[in-house]
């Protein structure tokens, strides 16, 4: 079975149906690019995966675990509890279009804050004799954070504040922050659309460099070069449905649906 | 030759010392009223802010109405209501309340304090509400996707940003409070202006009134300086 299995996901706001039954799957290590015109529901899909919105129906399975919906209504209602959601959403990470770094924390603290809170909670659950020292845990986390910052090329910026960084640097911090909790699937919602072309290249380069056998990514993007050259799969969304999906070659070179054909010729 | 003892006698005279001692006592009352109001109105204001922000109309609407009425009427009127209405309307003047043990000055002080706390809590709650509502939604969402609980998000991420948002309006309001304590004079609280006015009434000397101005000015200078430091500290995180 695939790492991620999304089945017939539906979501509407008041009387507009935004997602009208989305199904797709993703293998470990794959990069999925989601493209589509404005208002087609791309952001809503990512927000449903990350539990920022609650889908109306359908199911989400990660690594054989059902984390949303499913056939069993009782199990589904257990999954809807805030505690379960907090646990299950950590299968995913999300990088926002406008970064949303925490302004009062340094780059390093932005990475370690949630990991520290998580470690403290887990530590508390341990029997007394197995509890590790807080300082020791925090040191390990600092090291992990430093490692990640090196990966996104920001080693010298660990004690800067977000307002002291360029947009591209901020987005790279946001990517490292999301990686800090080792999500199974990292989602990006138009990670470069707030950036100018130079910084877009910089951030896209970092995302591309993350590609490896165990990093699975979903990237909503308007960067067609990225979708074509980096993604393993491409989904084209239109009006709340998956209009077409396939490999980049299939989608970009041999589009079948007329909507996709006109979308590609327009970009 | 200039006679220094003459100068001493004419300026630093007995009156001056007597007035200074009395005004310091009054200023003690002023400061008590100020700090107690601050300490009580801030948490109460926070509670009011959460009530007026509630999505539950039965909670939200009455509290919004209450805040509106308190903010829309003079503090002086509220002071008079708190101090005189129990006696006039219910034959239970606050000076006779058991909790004050027959101490008239204490009864007036706490009556005034009550009115100040309610009044300022309402003003503070509106400032807090604005400060909370100005936090971008993305900050909460970033906390959510990082697996934080609501309270972790509030205390570790949101709160300091709220404090930064409210610092300027709060410093205005707090400096206004320093000066508003003088209103308590009208209900016989022996704060500094009350004391100065006694000298005018009894000894017919005017200058103690101006002398009180000095107390207010120096105290407000200290507050302004402290707020300046806080503002500088917090602005480090923002361009
Ligand atoms: N909270 C909401 N309440 C009501 N309608 C919403 C809400 N969020 C999204 N929508 C609507 O859902 C539709 C899809 O929005 P969505 O943000 O998912 O599109 P998108 O594909 O991400 O577009 P874009 O490329 O512009 O980011 C839009 O018509 C939008 O108005
Ligand atoms: Mg979008």
């Amino acid at each position: 079975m695939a790492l991620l299995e999304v089945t017939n996901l539906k979501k509407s706001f008041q009387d507009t149906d935004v997602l009208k039954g989305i199904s797709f799957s993703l293998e470990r290590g794959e990069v999925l690019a989601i493209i589509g015109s404005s208002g087609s529901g791309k952001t809503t899909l990512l927000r449903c995966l990350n539990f920022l919105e609650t889908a109306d129906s359908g199911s989400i399975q990660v690594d054989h675990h059902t984390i949303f919906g499913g056939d069993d209504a009782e199990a589904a209602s257990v999954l809807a509890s805030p505690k379960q959601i907090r646990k299950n959403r950590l299968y995913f990470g999300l990088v926002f279009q406008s970064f949303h770094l925490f302004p009062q924390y340094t780059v390093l603290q932005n990475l370690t804050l949630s990991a520290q809170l998580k470690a403290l909670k887990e530590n508390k659950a341990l029997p007394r004799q197995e509890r590790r020292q807080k300082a020791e845990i925090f040191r390990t986390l600092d090291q992990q954070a430093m490692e990640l910052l090196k990966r996104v090329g920001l080693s010298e910026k660990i004690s800067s504040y977000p307002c002291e960084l360029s947009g591209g640097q901020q987005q790279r911090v946001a990517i490292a922050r999301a990686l800090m909790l080792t999500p199974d699937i990292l989602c990006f919602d138009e990670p470069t659309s707030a950036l100018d072309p130079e910084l877009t290249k910089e951030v896209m380069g970092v995302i591309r460099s993350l590609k490896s056998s165990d990093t699975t990514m979903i990237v909503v993007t308007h960067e067609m070069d990225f979708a074509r050259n980096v993604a393993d799969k491409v989904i084209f969304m239109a009006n709340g449905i998956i209009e077409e999906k396939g490999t980049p070659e299939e989608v970009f070179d041999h589009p079948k649906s007329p909507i996709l054909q006109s979308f590609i010729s327009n970009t | 030759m200039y006679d220094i003892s003459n100068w001493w006698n004419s300026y630093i005279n007995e009156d001056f010392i007597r007035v200074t001692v009395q005004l310091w006592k009054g200023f003690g009352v002023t400061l008590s009223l100020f700090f107690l109001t601050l300490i009580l109105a801030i948490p109460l204001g926070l509670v009011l802010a959460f009530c007026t922000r509630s999505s539950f109309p039965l909670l939200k609407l009455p509290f919004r109405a209450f805040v509106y009425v308190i903010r829309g009427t003079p503090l002086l009127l509220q002071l008079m209501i708190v101090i005189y209405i129990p006696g006039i309307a219910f034959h239970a003047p606050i000076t006779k309340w058991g909790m004050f043990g027959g101490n008239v000055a204490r009864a007036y002080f706490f009556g005034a304090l009550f009115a100040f706390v309610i009044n300022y809590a309402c003003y503070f709650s509106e400032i807090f509400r604005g400060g909370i509502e100005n936090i971008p939604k993305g900050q909460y969402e970033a906390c959510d996707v990082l697996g934080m609980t609501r309270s972790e998000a509030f205390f570790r991420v949101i709160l300091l940003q709220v404090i930064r948002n409210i610092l300027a309006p709060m410093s205005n309001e707090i400096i206004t409070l320093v000066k508003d304590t003088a209103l308590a004079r009208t209900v016989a609280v022996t704060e500094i202006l009350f004391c100065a006015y006694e000298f005018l009434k009894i000894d017919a000397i005017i200058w103690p009134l101006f002398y009180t101005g000095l107390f207010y000015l120096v105290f407000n200078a200290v507050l302004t300086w402290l707020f300046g430091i806080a503002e500088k500290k917090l602005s480090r995180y923002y361009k």
Side-chain angles (χ1 to χ4, degrees), chain A residues 21 73 103 110 256 267:
Chain A
N110 262 279
K256 292 194 270 306
T267 48

Side-chain angles (χ1 to χ4, degrees), chain A residues 31 61 77 134 181 191-192 246:
Chain A
V31 175
Q61 284 163 294
S77 74
K134 196 166 133 183
L181 295 177
T192 58

Side-chain angles (χ1 to χ4, degrees), chain A residues 47 50 52 86 89-90 94 96 100-105 113-114 117 121 161 163-164 177 181, chain B residues 137-139 141-150 152 155-158 160-161 236-239:
Chain A
R47 289 174 63 85
N50 284 275
L52 290 177
R86 243 187 342 266
R89 70 179 0 146
L90 292 182
L94 177 60
F96 299 89
H100 301 325
L101 295 178
F102 305 134
Q104 74 268 44
Y105 290 117
L113 176 64
S114 58
L117 293 170
K121 267 179 277 186
Y161 286 95
C163 69
E164 297 163 347
R177 180 175 73 174
L181 295 177
Chain B
K137 212 167 113 236
Q139 290 289 312
E141 295 187 342
C143 292
D144 277 347
V145 296
L146 291 168
M148 290 186 213
T149 62
R150 286 271 122 172
E152 285 169 347
F155 286 107
R156 302 300 294 267
V157 175
I158 306 298
L160 195 70
Q161 296 181 48
R236 163 138 179 53
Y237 313 126
Y238 298 87
K239 266 209 198 99

Side-chain angles (χ1 to χ4, degrees), chain A residues 28-191:
Chain A
R28 191 175 287 280
E30 277 185 329
V31 175
L32 166 68
I34 300 180
I35 58 173
S37 53
S38 183
S40 56
K42 308 179 295 294
T43 297
T44 306
L45 174 57
L46 285 194
R47 289 174 63 85
C48 287
L49 295 180
N50 284 275
F51 296 94
L52 290 177
E53 306 286 356
T54 311
D56 300 329
S57 64
S59 73
I60 304 170
Q61 284 163 294
V62 180
D63 205 12
H64 308 282
H65 304 288
T66 300
I67 63 167
F68 175 79
D71 304 325
D72 184 347
E74 204 173 313
S77 74
V78 171
L79 290 174
S81 79
K83 203 170 166 196
Q84 278 299 318
I85 287 178
R86 243 187 342 266
K87 181 165 157 260
N88 285 332
R89 70 179 0 146
L90 292 182
Y91 284 107
F92 293 92
L94 177 60
V95 174
F96 299 89
Q97 183 175 340
S98 39
F99 333 133
H100 301 325
L101 295 178
F102 305 134
Q104 74 268 44
Y105 290 117
T106 63
V107 166
L108 188 71
Q109 289 166 332
N110 262 279
L111 266 68
T112 53
L113 176 64
S114 58
Q116 286 176 353
L117 293 170
K118 185 171 164 235
L120 289 179
K121 267 179 277 186
E122 282 164 2
N123 208 40
K124 229 182 245 161
L126 290 176
R128 189 171 268 282
Q129 64 273 22
E130 281 174 44
R131 276 187 211 169
R132 289 186 297 140
Q133 284 299 308
K134 196 166 133 183
E136 186 194 329
I137 298 173
F138 283 15
R139 216 170 13 251
T140 324
L141 292 176
D142 279 354
Q143 268 155 17
Q144 282 173 23
M146 245 107 78
E147 206 61 44
L148 282 171
L149 287 170
K150 202 155 107 197
R151 257 174 93 186
V152 298
L154 287 173
S155 293
E156 335 82 89
K157 296 288 184 192
I158 55 170
S159 39
S160 303
Y161 286 95
C163 69
E164 297 163 347
L165 303 178
S166 74
Q169 290 170 333
Q170 290 188 45
Q171 192 59 300
R172 285 187 280 153
V173 174
I175 293 170
R177 180 175 73 174
L179 286 170
M180 192 67 195
L181 295 177
T182 58
D184 289 84
I185 300 151
L186 185 53
C187 305
F188 298 81
D189 189 9
E190 302 191 30

